[in-house]
DNA sequence: CAGTGGTCTAGACCACACC
DNA sequence: GTGTGGTCTAGACCACTGT
């Protein structure tokens, strides 16, 4: 682990300390000056180490205030209520989050593979997201049995990521997702109130902890008329998200011109 | 423009010089030491300026070699042959790129809006991408009339981005894209050889130059069974791309585990 | 080898947030 | 104000690339 580069060494040490819970989530780290004294190095080098951790989403540095262990990485959730909520506020729509059901003791081979386990059972939480009263998104989340209490305690309109992180102390720092264009399955279409066949994104996502373990799996159906994906690349900056398509027509390309939509993602 | 921050000032100056063509594409900039003398500043500050430009994709810095004005930002093209080709190599598939047709003197209101023009005409280039002999992706690109020669000179299996950049000297540094799940339209389906209705991504993308002008517009249909989108978020790193789904079944989640798929994106 | 970029020092000073 | 992070210096030295 200990490279020859001082700032990476320091970053590794800090990362380990955070993993081991020496600095709880939301807690301030020692100041850059103090850290420099502790590690017997210069401020510039300490800053290099902190920059590494910030890049990985482990800490958040705020000018004039301090350096903090990151709160649950909601920004890793492309489908986050957070993101949607902000979008909604901007567009003056209201979003709600309704629990359909919780299942326990699920046995499924594919889940075992995804979570990298050889045996075990899972719990699921099905939710419906409504926009201006209309059900729009169906989402089902899975965790290992040992964390099932999180689903039991889950309340509508909460951030599942945040709750999971609070209850388990696990920091989610990575997410991977695949998106597939599909026709809404009959049962989902019925739940969402679609009478006719409807295209949708099927999103499958795994969330990965600081320890590199898969801790959460989500599947979501996002009907095409109401949700589109938008991405932006600017040099090495690279972002994408789901956005609500108010008009419901695929020809609305407003998102290209409405730079406001992107502000919070750069 | 000139902030109080030295490194941003320097970055602005360098950016302007590159815009004005003082350093042609692919050309080496003066060394960090030389730049530090020119701007009468320290190496650390010069490096700060260069880091800014690198972040924006304007320059490429190579350890032990030098600092270069970036070649056409192919990496901005999510659908780039480049990317696909690498993928293909890895999966031992062959991809080809066939020109269907070129149109000139196109008049279309939506294009005017996209390019931010009040009047003007456009040219289009339709292409088909085949994988292992099977047509898979339909793509149509548009440029303003003044650049129509690029389409005329375009040869199969070339990178359109690269050619455009070479011919016009315009550097593409930004791209925005929206993706919509659709049913393949009849004519496209016929072209691609699909008999039954088929879900697909409809991708609409604008490419933006260093001068913040829209210079290229692309529409592509990517049938669901063969192409899926995959994204990865790791802290502030954020990437996504289209990948070929060999199996053609939506239940193949191999991409989650196959970290190789992501190597070139981090 | 020479020339490039990358790291690091030991400070100084500036900008920002909070009391 | 005090305390935080952010920038900057004027070098030294290390690591990498190509001849």
């Amino acid at each position: 682990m200990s490279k020859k580069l001082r700032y990476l060494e320091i970053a590794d040490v800090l990362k380990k300390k955070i993993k081991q819970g020496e600095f709880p989530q939301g807690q301030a780290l020692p100041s850059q000056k103090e850290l420099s004294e502790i590690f017997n190095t210069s401020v510039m080098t300490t800053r290099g180490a902190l920059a590494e951790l910030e890049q990985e989403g482990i800490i958040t540095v705020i000018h004039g205030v301090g350096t903090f262990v990151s709160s649950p990485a909601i920004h890793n959730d492309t489908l986050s209520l957070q993101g949607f909520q902000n979008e909604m506020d901007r567009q003056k729509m209201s979003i709600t989050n309704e629990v359909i059901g919780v299942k326990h003791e699920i046995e499924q081979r594919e889940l075992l593979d995804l979570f990298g386990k050889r045996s075990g059972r899972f719990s699921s939480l099905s939710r419906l997201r409504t926009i201006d009263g209309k059900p729009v998104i169906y989402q089902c989340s899975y965790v290992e049995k040992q964390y099932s209490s999180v689903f039991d305690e889950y309340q509508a309109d909460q951030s599942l990521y945040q709750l999971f992180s609070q209850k388990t102390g696990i920091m989610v720092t990575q997410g991977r997702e695949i998106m597939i264009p599909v026709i809404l399955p009959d049962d989902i279409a019925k739940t969402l109130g679609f009478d006719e066949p409807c295209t949708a994104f099927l999103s499958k996502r795994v969330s990965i902890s600081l320890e590199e373990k898969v801790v959460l799996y989500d599947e979501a159906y996002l009907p095409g008329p109401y949700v589109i994906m938008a991405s932006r690349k600017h040099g090495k900056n690279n972002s994408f998200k789901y956005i609500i398509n108010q008009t419901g027509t695929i020809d609305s390309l407003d998102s290209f011109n409405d730079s406001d939509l992107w502000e919070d993602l750069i």
Side-chain angles (χ1 to χ4, degrees), chain A residues 87 90-91 241 243 255 258-265:
Chain A
E87 207 58 56
R90 210 173 281 136
Q91 298 184 9
K241 61 174 179 174
I243 62 178
S255 57
D258 183 357
S259 55
D260 286 345
L261 276 180
W262 291 103
E263 260 172 13
D264 57 336
L265 279 173

Side-chain angles (χ1 to χ4, degrees), chain A residues 18-209:
Chain A
I18 290 171
K19 256 188 217 175
Q20 291 164 5
E22 190 154 327
F23 307 107
Q25 269 182 28
Q27 166 116 17
L29 264 58
S31 74
Q32 296 181 352
K33 209 172 162 187
E34 285 175 301
L35 286 173
S36 303
E37 284 163 8
I38 291 170
F39 288 106
N40 191 30
T41 188
S42 70
V43 178
M44 292 296 271
T45 303
T46 302
R47 285 179 53 73
L50 294 180
E52 281 294 309
L53 300 192
E54 195 179 21
Q55 193 66 20
E56 295 182 40
I58 296 171
I59 61 172
T60 304
V61 182
I62 305 173
H63 191 173
V65 182
T67 303
F68 305 88
V69 179
S70 292
S71 294
I74 297 170
H75 54 272
N76 273 324
D77 186 357
T78 46
L79 235 181
S80 71
L81 245 192
Q82 190 70 32
F84 266 139
Q85 198 70 60
N86 291 345
E87 207 58 56
M88 296 303 89
D89 290 347
R90 210 173 281 136
Q91 298 184 9
K92 300 197 178 150
M93 299 169 102
S94 72
I95 190 169
T96 64
N97 195 340
E98 178 190 327
V99 174
I100 297 182
V102 175
K103 279 186 198 164
H104 292 304
E105 304 289 338
I106 297 172
E107 279 188 284
Q108 221 170 319
R109 245 200 78 72
E110 302 89 55
L111 290 174
L112 286 173
D113 288 345
L114 278 174
F115 281 82
K117 294 276 174 181
R118 309 199 57 161
S119 66
R121 298 188 178 188
F122 301 88
S123 295
S124 77
L125 167 70
S126 307
R127 284 179 290 170
L128 211 57
R129 302 204 179 176
T130 66
I131 292 169
D132 279 349
K134 171 157 181 38
V136 164
I137 296 168
Y138 172 85
Q139 183 176 13
C140 190
S141 308
Y142 298 86
V143 291
E144 291 179 68
K145 183 181 175 179
Q146 63 200 102
Y147 303 126
S148 58
S149 61
V150 173
F151 285 174
D152 290 325
E153 292 183 34
Y154 180 81
Q155 310 245 339
D157 291 328
Q158 227 174 345
S159 162
L160 179 59
Y161 272 62
Q162 206 152 25
L163 181 65
F164 179 83
S165 206
Q166 278 170 11
K167 288 289 162 192
T168 65
I170 293 173
M171 233 171 126
V172 174
T173 58
Q174 236 185 107
R176 297 184 195 181
E177 182 173 5
I178 65 174
M179 286 140 283
I180 308 153
V182 297
I183 304 269
L184 226 47
D186 287 341
D187 52 337
I188 309 282
K190 191 181 285 180
T191 306
L192 294 177
F194 284 95
D195 295 328
E196 298 172 9
C198 173
T199 56
F201 291 107
L202 168 55
S203 156
K204 300 182 174 195
R205 183 170 75 251
V206 292
S207 299
I208 298 169
S209 68

